[in-house]
Amino acid sequence: MIGRLTPFFLPLAVVALAQEDELEPIEVLGIARPANSAERIIFDRQDIDASPSIHLDDLLRSNPSFSTYRRSGSGIAHPTSQGVSLRGAGTSATSRSLVLLDGIPLNDPFGGWVRWNRFSLPELEAVRFGRKGAFASSAGSIELQSRRPTDKPIHHLGLAGGDVQGFSANGFSATGTNRKNWDASASFRIEDFAGHRVVRTDQRGPIDEDAWSRIQSGRTTMSHQLSSGRLVATFGGFTEKRGNGTPLGRNQADGFDWSLGLQGEVSRTVLFGQEREFSSVFPTVTGIKAERTSERIALDQYSVPASSLGFVHENSIDAEEHEFGFTAMILRREGHTNEINKFTDAYRHAGGRQTQIGLSLSDTWNPAGGWNLFAALKGEWFHDDEGIRRGWKTSNGEFSIREDFEVGGSFDISKAFSETIAARASLRSHVRQPTLNELYRPYRVGAFSVAANENLATERITGIGIGLDWQVTERMSASLGLFHDQLNDSVANVSEPSNPNDATRRNLEKAKVDGLELSVEHLLTEELSFRFQGLLMDSEVRSCPANPGLVGNRFAQVPKRRSTASLLWSPSLWELRLDARHESERFDDARNSRLLDNCFNLDLSLSKMFSKNTRIFLTVNNISDEEIETLRNAENIIYVEAPRNWLVGLDWKF
């Protein structure tokens, strides 16, 4: 896959190494933006540069509203467990949030999961958590903005290595914008993640080894100014191999993304596509499970091809105090799984095709008096066809065509009462189409099996929120937000009352999440700053006719409390950073029968600027060597995150 992209990246890499232009040094950020607004920059370029993280998901975890399904980081987690949801809105492992890069969806077309470790952090300009846009999913979106060429060339190279992280290299290069209406940029990421053992120390057996990953990814963008607008072409891809913690547990994938767009002053039109190929081997422990002395392959998911093709057109019109917007989008996804049951040599083929068409109208109104209003109305048509499932112990056959039309939208209002105090409120209702994986593919992990359900209804989240942003002093800011999300027909793995190890994907009739968000930032001195962010969540299943015993339970993998804090000391050219993350206990399953303990993670990072374009850093992760539980399976085997580990790195801008 990467070989196909080499012609795009090699010329720009040669140009980058030949340049000697310098960037401005990193400046320490004082007080950040209000923390809870509906559309905000969570991380800007300075935050990304200063972060000790080498993976995007680790960076985003410093905001407690972000969470993947399991606590495991993307370096060792199985890709299918890396679905993302904001503010605890997920009731299963699939993503309730879309990840967009420059407005283009990157979630897997078949299962909706995200490969977080493919992103090169130097290529990103900013990250927003929001709810607006053509592709907004039920729980909102994570919007990645790539760096664009400026009037001077940009070149950035990062190298890092550690006992768990292994070796990684990241690079970004961009030409200047004054080259006869042409500009280009390229990025790459290479990582050999050494990994660690994932089963708890006192439960390990002879078959347990380090879980690891190796990935190469790259992306290039070229643009040219035409009379009608700027023509932009982007090509990107990745190839990856992983070991899942035992000799037989393996998975690998290749991916290719492309887009071609025309950007005008008030409009944007883009055609884009994805290609994915995935395979995974699922072993099972044989003999006495607790001794973990041997294993055999249970399922060989040898080929999962998937693809998507999409089109989006956005247009805006300024009319005095109003900015009207119109968006039209079409997205088609298709994919199939091909797998073999190694116990019976039975074969399964399952998958289908989905089409989504959406139209939305919006109005941004900024009347006098510090008021800001945003309203959007969206209609979406969903079409499922070519659904098929043939194999063992399933309802085999071809499934009828399904169609659905849903209406949603949002309303946001804010008022600045003074230069230091602003209030806000929001109302929203968004939907999510079940993935091909949820509709057609059954699966088994150890003794626990989940059946697919081709009759799943469209999932909807309706929510309301209020908040207050307060600039307490010139050196201190605070934000407080309250929200209530009502989930209708949320897809969950619902076990049978008579057999807790047999589950089916079903729609929960009603569920809810109530929450409180708090953020405080304080510039204690010119060299010392402090940031705290906390999230309280109360999730509850309200109605489940298929299994009334789940009513009153919390969502699987959603804790009640999550908080992060950072203390940053930056004297002269040095920077000392202490990052803390705490999370209360969470349940591993919808039955609330398998409890994962609370966890506290403390990281320490020290960096030094040797010149205005060269920085080295040392990070010690999980200083207290906390045992962070990530999974408790049906046999009561507990999986854990990385123990105490170190990382050293170099950032060079030239």
Side-chain angles (χ1 to χ4, degrees):
M1 175 60 61
I2 296 298
R4 299 211 304 261
L5 297 176
T6 301
F8 297 111
F9 298 118
L10 187 57
L12 289 178
V14 172
V15 171
L17 294 174
Q19 298 285 345
E20 297 183 353
D21 296 86
E22 298 178 342
L23 294 179
E24 294 299 319
I26 298 173
E27 296 180 1
V28 176
L29 183 65
I31 297 175
R33 293 76 45 197
N36 295 320
S37 54
E39 292 285 335
R40 66 195 188 274
I41 296 178
I42 300 296
F43 303 97
D44 60 17
R45 184 63 243 165
Q46 289 180 319
D47 296 325
I48 297 171
D49 266 341
S51 172
S53 304
I54 62 173
H55 293 149
L56 178 59
D57 57 312
D58 289 333
L59 170 68
L60 300 185
R61 279 190 180 92
S62 63
N63 186 290
S65 63
F66 172 89
S67 178
T68 54
Y69 183 66
R70 299 201 183 277
R71 290 168 173 165
S72 304
S74 59
I76 59 97
H78 196 279
T80 59
S81 70
Q82 291 292 281
V84 57
S85 295
L86 298 177
R87 301 199 309 194
T91 52
S92 63
T94 195
S95 293
R96 265 66 185 190
S97 300
L98 281 177
V99 177
L100 308 170
L101 178 60
D102 297 331
I104 305 301
L106 292 181
N107 300 64
D108 185 87
F110 185 76
W113 48 76
V114 182
R115 293 189 179 271
W116 301 100
N117 61 332
R118 69 172 287 193
F119 297 102
S120 172
L121 293 182
E123 74 173 317
L124 299 179
E125 182 67 30
V127 181
R128 295 180 178 89
F129 295 175
R131 294 188 296 272
K132 303 175 184 177
F135 301 98
S137 192
S138 56
S141 59
I142 298 174
E143 301 163 18
L144 312 178
Q145 178 186 341
S146 61
R147 295 175 78 175
R148 299 295 304 145
T150 62
D151 56 343
K152 293 183 178 180
I154 304 172
H155 311 301
H156 190 163
L157 177 65
L159 304 173
D163 55 344
V164 167
Q165 283 82 3
F167 171 78
S168 66
N170 296 271
F172 175 79
S173 180
T175 63
T177 56
N178 54 355
R179 301 183 59 177
K180 297 181 179 179
N181 293 327
W182 283 93
D183 61 55
S185 64
S187 64
F188 75 90
R189 174 171 172 76
I190 300 172
E191 181 178 66
D192 188 343
F193 193 84
H196 59 89
R197 296 189 181 185
V198 293
V199 172
R200 194 166 73 177
T201 303
D202 61 356
Q203 295 183 322
R204 292 173 189 162
I207 65 170
D208 291 305
E209 63 180 21
D210 290 345
W212 52 268
S213 64
R214 299 187 183 99
I215 190 167
Q216 301 90 43
S217 66
R219 192 167 72 99
T220 187
T221 298
M222 295 168 284
S223 68
H224 179 57
Q225 184 64 46
L226 304 174
S227 58
S228 56
R230 179 163 288 273
L231 184 66
V232 182
T234 300
F235 305 91
F238 68 88
T239 182
E240 182 185 49
K241 294 182 178 180
R242 288 176 178 262
N244 300 327
T246 65
L248 296 180
R250 297 287 186 269
N251 67 82
Q252 63 183 28
D254 295 293
F256 178 71
D257 304 295
W258 62 270
S259 67
L260 180 65
L262 183 65
Q263 178 74 53
E265 292 185 3
V266 296
S267 65
R268 177 174 177 261
T269 304
V270 183
L271 183 67
F272 61 91
Q274 291 177 300
E275 297 288 338
R276 296 287 185 270
E277 178 62 51
F278 176 60
S279 63
S280 185
V281 173
F282 297 89
T284 185
V285 177
T286 56
I288 301 175
K289 302 292 185 182
E291 294 182 357
R292 300 181 64 81
T293 58
S294 61
E295 62 174 341
R296 65 169 295 186
I297 296 176
L299 177 67
D300 184 4
Q301 190 179 355
Y302 63 89
S303 177
V304 186
S307 63
S308 69
L309 181 66
F311 168 85
V312 60
H313 174 75
E314 300 172 321
N315 197 81
S316 63
I317 300 174
D318 285 326
E320 296 181 353
E321 298 174 346
H322 295 265
E323 181 180 346
F324 298 104
F326 168 78
T327 301
M329 58 80 62
I330 302 175
L331 179 61
R332 192 187 74 175
R333 295 181 291 258
E334 57 183 315
H336 296 83
T337 180
N338 301 281
E339 47 197 54
I340 297 176
N341 183 332
K342 286 296 186 177
F343 292 113
T344 63
D345 288 329
Y347 167 83
R348 175 187 288 145
H349 174 74
R353 184 173 65 182
Q354 296 180 314
T355 302
Q356 177 183 354
I357 298 177
L359 295 173
S360 64
L361 298 172
S362 66
D363 178 21
T364 302
W365 183 26
N366 302 115
W371 289 93
N372 294 278
L373 294 92
F374 172 82
L377 179 65
K378 186 174 184 179
E380 294 175 290
W381 177 72
F382 302 112
H383 180 87
D384 293 301
D385 63 351
E386 297 190 3
I388 188 172
R389 184 165 62 242
R390 293 176 179 158
W392 69 96
K393 295 183 180 180
T394 66
S395 54
N396 298 329
E398 300 180 4
F399 303 109
S400 59
I401 295 174
R402 302 193 324 156
E403 294 185 352
D404 187 24
F405 180 77
E406 299 285 347
V407 176
S410 60
F411 178 74
D412 296 275
I413 183 171
S414 65
K415 164 66 173 176
F417 293 99
S418 68
E419 293 183 355
T420 60
I421 296 179
R424 50 193 155 75
S426 64
L427 177 65
R428 58 201 176 275
S429 185
H430 297 298
V431 298
R432 181 186 72 89
Q433 185 181 22
T435 65
L436 294 168
N437 183 57
E438 292 173 302
L439 292 169
Y440 304 119
R441 180 185 177 261
Y443 75 92
R444 174 179 290 273
V445 177
F448 184 71
S449 66
V450 177
N453 184 357
E454 67 277 6
N455 296 313
L456 290 173
T458 302
E459 184 179 282
R460 178 180 291 274
I461 297 181
T462 301
I464 187 171
I466 58 174
L468 182 70
D469 302 319
W470 182 22
Q471 189 73 36
V472 184
T473 68
E474 290 185 357
R475 293 176 175 266
M476 182 177 180
S477 64
S479 294
L480 177 69
L482 300 172
F483 64 90
H484 169 79
D485 288 335
Q486 181 72 39
L487 287 68
N488 294 316
D489 292 324
S490 183
V491 179
N493 297 329
V494 178
S495 59
E496 305 298 329
S498 60
N499 189 349
N501 284 337
D502 286 336
T504 301
R505 295 188 182 101
R506 298 188 186 278
N507 294 108
L508 299 176
E509 190 174 63
K510 292 182 180 180
K512 63 95 175 179
V513 181
D514 295 322
L516 180 149
E517 292 177 293
L518 174 66
S519 175
V520 177
E521 302 191 27
H522 193 186
L523 190 62
L524 301 171
T525 70
E526 294 299 327
E527 298 176 345
L528 185 64
S529 62
F530 172 75
R531 174 184 296 182
F532 171 83
Q533 298 178 87
L535 176 63
L536 300 179
M537 294 176 290
D538 181 21
S539 63
E540 181 185 359
V541 177
R542 307 290 295 271
S543 176
C544 181
N547 187 350
L550 299 183
V551 175
N553 285 3
R554 285 157 51 187
F555 297 172
Q557 297 292 341
V558 175
K560 286 189 174 182
R561 299 180 303 277
R562 188 183 293 132
S563 59
T564 64
S566 296
L567 186 66
L568 181 65
W569 184 42
S570 51
S572 187
L573 300 177
W574 290 87
E575 181 177 286
L576 180 66
R577 177 176 179 142
L578 187 66
D579 292 304
R581 293 201 304 267
H582 176 265
E583 185 179 274
S584 64
E585 60 190 20
R586 57 161 86 177
F587 289 103
D588 192 86
D589 62 328
R591 294 174 57 242
N592 288 186
S593 63
R594 303 195 299 269
L595 185 66
L596 300 176
D597 201 2
N598 60 64
C599 65
F600 178 76
N601 189 77
L602 193 63
D603 302 331
L604 180 68
S605 180
L606 177 67
S607 66
K608 171 104 185 315
M609 295 290 295
F610 281 90
S611 68
K612 64 180 181 179
N613 52 15
T614 305
R615 179 179 74 119
I616 65 169
F617 62 89
L618 167 67
T619 299
V620 181
N621 299 301
N622 194 6
I623 295 174
S624 60
D625 205 21
E626 175 93 357
E627 185 179 77
I628 301 173
E629 298 177 356
T630 63
L631 182 152
R632 184 188 293 263
N633 67 16
E635 289 85 26
N636 206 38
I637 300 297
I638 297 174
Y639 289 67
V640 296
E641 250 288 24
R644 180 171 51 238
N645 61 91
W646 56 268
L647 174 73
V648 295
L650 166 70
D651 278 325
W652 182 30
K653 301 175 183 179
F654 53 97

